[in-house]
Amino acid sequence: MPRHNASLRGWLVIAHRLAGLALAAFLVVAGLTGSLLVWNTELDAALNPHWLRTTGSNASAQPMDALALRDVVQAHHPHALAVRVPLAQEPGHAMVFLLRPLPGKPPLENDQVFVDPYSGRILGERRWGDITQTWRNLMPFLYRLHYSLALGAVGTWLLGVVSLLWMVDSVVGFCLTLPASAKNAQRPWLGRWARAWKLDMHSRWRATFDLHRAGGLWLWPALFVLAWSSFALNLPQWHDPMVRAFSTQQPGTADLPRRAKPLWQPALGWQTAHLRARELMQEQAALRGFAVLAESSLAYDPSRGLYRYDVRSSLDIKDQGGSTRLFLDGDSGTLVATWFPTGAARGDTFITWMSNLHMASVGGLAYRVAITLAGAGVAVLSVTGVLIWLRKRRARHKH
């Protein structure tokens, strides 16, 4: 091997080792929590069936209007504002409403309300992600742990940096599996690389090393997508400018201007806003040539004075729900902005695919199982990497 190639490989080994040790704990947490969050809806319902399941969903029962259910929630919480209304009703499932405290009112004890859509009965409440409420909040807490280490904005930023380093380190690790050039090699290059893809279980050490190397190769495409999408989701303020350097993006929610003073009581009521949003969405569908398949949600943002209307359309790629959306002014009902998941801007189409691949919301059951295994694989690769370092460290000290 030429000296400069040997030197480069040595530096890559050191970089991979240092990055692996620095990121291992973060990636174990992210990998294991991510594997569970693939099944977030199912696990949350299993832990809280009295909140998330209903028994009135027989063939003849008809759910109440979603906005009428919002009125029920609002009557129970006069010092809060129910800011989001789910418009898609799945039989046997409760409707979930989100609350925000009104200005000058005491903090809310709970901000998530579960309602039986057939009777309007309040089934339960919780403060989303607060693990002090015990197992009832386990899945929301795991979600917080996964994307921010349950540390808020600081944790989100930290995991974004971790994801960026992980993305670079995954490329370095892949390069280290490639066989070194050798003038007198007896086997062809591909034949020597084939060894890196195989597991040798004849000894514990060999199995650990091969599990780290071969496992990383077999899972590499999924790991790289997870790393990149994690970076995009956690640090869009870094990622999106990079995307815009090569493609276009639509203005998102964060780009919409905030009001000098929040508008807590818009002139447009929820019923009127809903009808107006439907009308505007149908106009956009006719104008842009897409089909509206189902409604998803209607939400209100007091800081911007805007209603946000989400539907599932032919532009959506996820298995359930939709993110085709528009924003309308809470006072005048005029269209303020639109956002389409695919077809409108290449940068947004790319990010839509990356985020939905990350969340396993495309590809059906088979892909969800694959991402579950990939998340567990992230933890295994991190642990085996640390074990390899410890063994080599002990060997150096022994000599």
Side-chain angles (χ1 to χ4, degrees):
M1 178 192 298
R3 184 178 299 275
H4 68 276
N5 285 344
S7 177
L8 175 61
R9 191 177 185 87
W11 281 110
L12 290 179
V13 169
I14 293 173
H16 185 61
R17 181 184 304 151
L18 293 176
L21 292 173
L23 304 180
F26 297 107
L27 295 183
V28 168
V29 171
L32 294 180
T33 55
S35 292
L36 292 172
L37 288 172
V38 170
W39 313 96
N40 178 49
T41 301
E42 293 83 355
L43 291 174
D44 202 13
L47 291 170
N48 301 291
H50 52 298
W51 286 352
L52 292 161
R53 301 294 189 195
T54 62
T55 57
S57 55
N58 55 58
S60 60
Q62 291 295 321
M64 295 173 59
D65 178 73
L67 294 177
L69 291 173
R70 179 190 177 275
D71 292 338
V72 172
V73 173
Q74 197 66 74
H76 279 76
H77 295 275
H79 301 308
L81 180 67
V83 293
R84 181 182 179 276
V85 178
L87 298 175
Q89 172 56 38
E90 186 176 350
H93 291 253
M95 301 283 271
V96 185
F97 292 83
L98 303 180
L99 304 177
R100 281 186 60 182
L102 290 169
K105 303 299 181 181
L108 296 177
E109 182 179 351
N110 297 300
D111 56 12
Q112 197 174 38
V113 183
F114 305 92
V115 184
D116 187 327
Y118 300 94
S119 66
R121 183 169 62 92
I122 303 292
L123 299 175
E125 301 177 2
R126 70 181 174 191
R127 174 174 286 278
W128 187 88
D130 185 356
I131 194 59
T132 62
Q133 295 184 341
T134 67
W135 50 268
R136 296 177 177 180
N137 248 323
L138 178 60
M139 295 312 297
F141 177 73
L142 290 181
Y143 191 94
R144 289 181 57 214
L145 199 62
H146 181 73
Y147 81 83
S148 70
L149 300 174
L151 297 176
V154 173
T156 301
W157 183 87
L158 178 59
L159 282 184
V161 173
V162 166
S163 301
L164 177 60
L165 294 176
W166 178 27
M167 185 168 59
V168 175
D169 186 51
S170 65
V171 175
V172 172
F174 180 86
C175 292
L176 289 175
T177 68
L178 302 175
S181 301
K183 292 182 179 180
N184 300 319
Q186 300 299 315
R187 299 174 61 195
W189 187 88
L190 283 177
R192 286 183 286 134
W193 193 35
R195 173 65 188 87
W197 295 76
K198 299 176 182 178
L199 286 174
D200 185 346
M201 307 301 290
H202 288 90
S203 70
R204 182 182 300 177
W205 158 246
R206 192 71 229 183
T208 301
F209 182 82
D210 283 355
L211 190 61
H212 185 77
R213 183 176 62 177
L217 280 173
W218 284 107
L219 293 174
W220 195 87
L223 299 183
F224 189 75
V225 167
L226 290 175
W228 190 332
S229 55
S230 299
F231 171 52
L233 291 168
N234 280 58
L235 287 178
Q237 64 270 36
W238 291 8
H239 180 267
D240 288 359
M242 297 165 56
V243 172
R244 285 193 288 268
F246 300 97
S247 60
T248 56
Q249 280 190 283
Q250 306 161 90
T253 305
D255 300 312
L256 299 176
R258 294 178 179 270
R259 299 173 65 95
K261 184 179 180 181
L263 180 64
W264 291 96
Q265 296 294 333
L268 224 61
W270 283 80
Q271 292 282 358
T272 307
H274 185 207
L275 294 174
R276 177 61 176 155
R278 279 180 171 175
E279 179 185 341
L280 291 171
M281 186 62 78
Q282 290 298 335
E283 290 176 1
Q284 290 296 313
L287 179 65
R288 296 178 178 268
F290 65 86
V292 176
L293 306 177
E295 294 182 302
S296 290
S297 64
L298 180 67
Y300 180 68
D301 181 0
S303 68
R304 294 180 171 86
L306 300 177
Y307 284 98
R308 191 183 96 176
Y309 180 59
D310 283 35
V311 303
R312 177 175 178 80
S313 79
S314 54
L315 300 177
D316 282 286
I317 62 170
K318 58 175 65 176
D319 295 331
Q320 295 181 338
S323 53
T324 303
R325 68 178 57 112
L326 59 78
F327 300 85
L328 61 151
D329 187 271
D331 280 338
S332 65
T334 57
L335 180 66
V336 174
T338 57
W339 194 89
F340 305 110
T342 63
R346 287 179 296 175
D348 290 324
T349 299
F350 171 74
I351 292 175
T352 295
W353 273 102
M354 292 294 284
S355 60
N356 282 284
L357 287 171
H358 182 98
M359 298 175 185
S361 52
V362 294
L365 178 62
Y367 185 72
R368 295 175 75 189
V369 172
I371 291 298
T372 301
L373 296 176
V378 170
V380 170
L381 292 175
S382 300
V383 171
T384 53
V386 172
L387 293 176
I388 292 169
W389 172 77
L390 286 173
R391 179 184 172 92
K392 291 185 175 181
R393 182 173 179 266
R394 285 195 297 266
R396 286 194 300 270
H397 285 181
K398 183 176 179 180
H399 287 289

